[in-house]
Amino acid sequence: MDNKPHILLIDGMAVLFRSFFATSAMGHFFPNADGVPTNGVQGFGRHALTAASIFNPTHIAVCWDMSAHTFRNDLFDGYKANRPEPAPELLPQFDMTRDLSELIGWKNYGIKGMEADDLIGSLVCEWEGKADITIVTGDKDLLQLLRPGVKIAFMKKGYNVYDIYDEQRFIEEYEIPPHRFVEIKAFTGDASDGYPGVKGIGPKTALKLIKEYETVEKVVESLHELAPGMRKKIEADLEMLHLSKKLAQIHCELDFEDPIEALNLPDFSSSELREELEQHGYSMILRQLNSLFPEQTKTTV
């Protein structure tokens, strides 16, 4: 059991966005020699390296959204439609950050039409029981992936403060198994993702319903048992209730078929890596690397 691999899965877009806004709010964009902003890229690199030093994984992968349009937009045209366009300073940093991740040597996954959540979910299901997994993200939707051997580290403050959930903590707080979390989201919707769920039903009421009936489908089958006001709310938004569940559900059926070696940690002692980081103007990442892994970054003359 102690010899199980430990895979660190990083929600790349979540870390990039958090890193960008942490410094752009103060007008700090850290342009490179060509005048291109690098604040998001460098923040991502520093955050991911710090996570690797904190959680000490044996393997690592970074998952990305590859386009704004996904299969969820085909299900509901209002999905994420309320989100503003990315800031112009952020636009060039999407490709730059993926390139940086590859440069460092981390395994990267991205599939057009799918979200990073779905890639993370598929990797969790693929390695379930065969590896311990820690997910770094800011997305509460991923709580539905909790199970034995899986932890979720929600970014909280700076580069090293996390709010960590495992299956037991979730059950203690919600009194339902983690895979039922999607049922709650079906009722409450998600304002940030632009789908409403059932109007007039909040998290407390949704949790009460799921604790009693377990699933959306069983609640609908038992409408005659509910108070008239509750029944009327659900009946009025019945179609959106079922659609919201489809939108909230993380899809775990993607098959990567990669051996564990494909997710091996890179060699941080590589002088070529340090030279590449310096050439790209990523001085803050280089300093973070030397600070976090001093025993692996000794130079020779």
Side-chain angles (χ1 to χ4, degrees):
M1 294 290 290
D2 292 338
N3 294 325
K4 265 188 185 179
H6 176 199
I7 303 173
L8 180 65
L9 298 179
I10 296 178
D11 184 345
M13 208 63 78
V15 177
L16 170 59
F17 271 90
R18 183 180 180 86
S19 300
F20 175 81
F21 288 112
T23 49
S24 66
M26 298 174 286
H28 298 158
F29 297 102
F30 311 127
N32 60 18
D34 296 322
V36 179
T38 69
N39 61 316
V41 186
Q42 301 218 59
F44 165 85
R46 296 175 70 190
H47 216 131
L49 284 169
T50 303
S53 73
I54 291 172
F55 298 111
N56 294 312
T58 57
H59 299 78
I60 191 167
V62 187
C63 296
W64 301 96
D65 297 339
M66 296 303 293
S67 60
H69 188 94
T70 71
F71 76 93
R72 291 182 176 87
N73 297 101
D74 296 330
L75 291 173
F76 180 51
D77 58 10
Y79 185 71
K80 294 188 177 180
N82 56 342
R83 296 194 178 184
E85 290 294 317
E89 295 88 354
L90 176 59
L91 285 174
Q93 299 190 64
F94 291 123
D95 288 341
M96 291 168 66
T97 309
R98 285 192 290 269
D99 290 344
L100 167 71
S101 187
E102 292 175 2
L103 172 67
I104 292 175
W106 292 325
K107 179 66 179 178
N108 289 267
Y109 290 105
I111 299 175
K112 284 191 175 180
M114 306 301 292
E115 295 186 44
D117 289 6
D118 304 306
L119 279 72
I120 292 171
S122 296
L123 287 165
V124 166
C125 292
E126 184 167 321
W127 291 104
E128 183 177 4
K130 295 177 283 188
D132 292 322
I133 297 171
T134 300
I135 303 167
V136 170
T137 186
D139 188 350
K140 294 288 186 182
D141 286 347
L142 293 174
L143 284 169
Q144 64 189 274
L145 298 177
L146 286 171
R147 59 201 69 195
V150 176
K151 294 181 179 180
I152 300 178
F154 291 107
M155 299 174 286
K156 295 299 291 183
K157 184 179 180 182
Y159 294 108
N160 58 4
V161 179
Y162 290 91
D163 186 16
I164 299 176
Y165 271 81
D166 59 12
E167 184 183 41
Q168 187 58 40
R169 177 183 172 187
F170 181 93
I171 292 171
E172 288 173 359
E173 289 188 12
Y174 289 87
E175 298 181 342
I176 58 172
H179 68 271
R180 300 287 188 210
F181 187 66
V182 67
E183 314 288 343
I184 294 175
K185 293 294 296 286
F187 281 101
T188 63
D190 190 319
S192 66
D193 285 342
Y195 61 92
V198 176
K199 293 181 181 68
I201 293 185
K204 289 183 179 179
T205 302
L207 179 57
K208 183 179 179 181
L209 287 169
I210 298 310
K211 283 166 70 173
E212 183 169 355
Y213 295 101
E214 296 186 334
T215 68
V216 164
E217 291 74 20
K218 289 182 181 178
V219 171
V220 173
E221 289 172 7
S222 307
L223 283 177
H224 62 281
E225 298 178 7
L226 303 181
M230 179 71 65
R231 184 168 64 247
K232 184 179 290 188
K233 289 176 183 178
I234 295 173
E235 287 175 339
D237 277 327
L238 196 56
E239 185 177 347
M240 181 53 70
L241 172 63
H242 290 295
L243 178 56
S244 294
K245 181 173 177 176
K246 289 180 181 178
L247 295 171
Q249 183 78 56
I250 292 175
H251 289 254
C252 300
E253 72 280 1
L254 300 172
D255 192 357
F256 300 102
E257 297 184 347
D258 284 329
I260 192 69
E261 292 77 19
L263 282 63
N264 280 348
L265 289 178
D267 178 11
F268 291 131
S269 67
S270 164
S271 59
E272 288 82 1
L273 170 59
R274 296 197 299 279
E275 289 169 6
E276 287 274 7
L277 291 172
E278 193 163 4
Q279 287 174 11
H280 283 81
Y282 295 148
S283 57
M284 289 184 287
I285 299 175
L286 185 56
R287 286 198 298 270
Q288 192 86 342
L289 180 66
N290 290 332
S291 172
L292 293 171
F293 303 98
E295 74 283 359
Q296 293 179 300
T297 54
K298 294 175 182 176
T299 57
T300 57
V301 179

